[in-house]
Amino acid sequence: MLFKNATIYTIEQDPFVGDFRIDKGVFTEIGKDLNPKDEEVQDLNGLYVFPGLIDAHSHLGMVCSSIGFEGEDGNEVTDPITPNIRGIDGCNPMDETVELALKSGVTTVAAGPGSANIVGGTFFAYKTAGHCIDEMTIQNPLAMKAAFGENPKRCYKGKKIDTRMQISALLRETLAKTKEYIQKKESGKDVDYDQKLEAMIPVLKKQMPLKCHCHRADDILTVIRIAKEYDIEVTLDHVTDGRSIIPQIKEVIRN
């Protein structure tokens, strides 16, 4: 099908009035004054065409829209350290929220566990069109979720966490144990299989980043501090107070 006279935003160049061709749901040609090839033609004069939106931090499909606890699979609030949990196993692509996101122009999301746990499990990337999450998935795993500050404190208050100091200590303990686990495995020593530490190996080997929920400036700086200590790659998500420590964040980006 050929669509003509739309205002097209390609992101790679300035918007222009032009035409595009779609075959089986895929853009096959974009340009100006395209000629019909024995196909249906629609005039989009006055309308705008944009690339699909990408949500880089989402829990879409993991918290269902209406059935309550039975459909809430965003947070495993039984242990603050759960790197062995996989977001793909908790995602229901047939929930209406996924369809609504697609209709609103969100075509790709990075989804995974919420921020209740210090280490929450793996994120993955998927397309919002479809019904089978395995067929919709682009990359799995994508990143390991981590969270700092208010959410782990609230979820484990009076149990395993009361302060930000404990959040940092438990994360450092997990990273240190993983480093030791790797060294034992690579040296040929006998080592008991540990599902949690196995899941953390790609983080220590810089094969995927630690995806860090952090709002307050002190939490952001803690992420940066731990990333330097253990030589791991991180992403800063939310970063509400980032405006107050721009020089420190820029320094990390440069390095």
Side-chain angles (χ1 to χ4, degrees):
M1 183 180 292
L2 180 63
F3 298 86
K4 297 187 69 65
N5 304 317
T7 300
I8 301 173
Y9 288 74
T10 68
I11 304 303
E12 294 179 347
Q13 61 191 97
D14 292 335
F16 64 95
V17 176
D19 314 326
F20 60 93
R21 180 172 280 112
I22 292 180
D23 182 27
K24 297 179 181 179
V26 177
F27 282 78
T28 59
E29 192 174 5
I30 299 175
K32 296 183 178 180
D33 302 320
L34 300 183
N35 295 318
K37 299 178 180 178
D38 190 25
E39 60 193 336
E40 183 180 346
V41 179
Q42 288 195 17
D43 186 358
L44 300 185
N45 184 39
L47 299 180
Y48 298 84
V49 177
F50 300 89
L53 301 176
I54 299 173
D55 187 342
H57 184 100
S58 171
H59 313 294
L60 189 68
M62 302 189 68
V63 181
C64 293
S65 59
S66 60
I67 61 175
F69 174 78
E70 291 82 354
E72 293 182 0
D73 292 298
N75 283 294
E76 178 61 40
V77 194
T78 56
D79 186 340
I81 305 293
T82 56
N84 53 323
I85 285 176
R86 302 177 183 183
I88 192 172
D89 294 328
C91 184
N92 175 20
M94 286 184 272
D95 187 70
E96 64 176 356
T97 54
V98 179
E99 181 181 359
L100 290 171
L102 177 60
K103 289 180 177 179
S104 300
V106 179
T107 58
T108 307
V109 298
S115 52
N117 292 349
I118 301 169
V119 182
T122 52
F123 262 60
F124 70 111
Y126 73 93
K127 291 286 187 181
T128 51
H131 294 96
C132 173
I133 195 61
D134 300 273
E135 297 172 359
M136 299 158 68
T137 296
I138 303 168
Q139 183 176 337
N140 179 48
L142 182 69
M144 178 66 71
K145 178 65 182 290
F148 294 74
E150 65 291 328
N151 285 1
K153 283 190 65 176
R154 184 184 68 252
C155 292
Y156 290 95
K157 179 182 179 182
K159 291 180 282 187
K160 295 185 177 182
I161 300 169
D162 280 331
T163 69
R164 283 173 162 80
M165 294 180 290
Q166 176 71 333
I167 292 172
S168 301
L170 289 174
L171 178 57
R172 285 189 174 96
E173 180 182 43
T174 302
L175 292 168
K177 285 182 176 179
T178 305
K179 187 175 181 179
E180 182 181 11
Y181 185 77
I182 293 171
Q183 291 171 345
K184 286 182 178 179
K185 288 187 67 173
E186 293 182 346
S187 68
K189 295 180 181 178
D190 290 334
V191 56
D192 292 333
Y193 174 81
D194 189 311
Q195 190 183 57
K196 291 184 176 181
L197 299 183
E198 285 285 341
M200 287 295 292
I201 288 175
V203 175
L204 269 293
K205 290 194 171 184
K206 294 185 176 182
Q207 295 168 347
M208 67 179 179
L210 198 65
K211 186 175 174 62
C212 300
H213 164 113
C214 48
H215 283 283
R216 276 179 24 178
D218 55 340
D219 291 325
I220 300 167
L221 291 172
T222 297
V223 173
I224 294 172
R225 188 179 313 118
I226 292 175
K228 290 179 178 179
E229 288 175 21
Y230 288 90
D231 188 27
I232 59 175
E233 294 183 352
V234 299
T235 66
L236 304 176
D237 291 82
H238 307 308
V239 204
T240 307
D241 273 352
R243 66 192 184 283
S244 61
I245 52 169
I246 290 174
Q248 289 79 7
I249 293 174
K250 288 175 68 175
E251 183 66 29
V252 173
I253 293 172
R254 281 199 295 269
N255 292 335

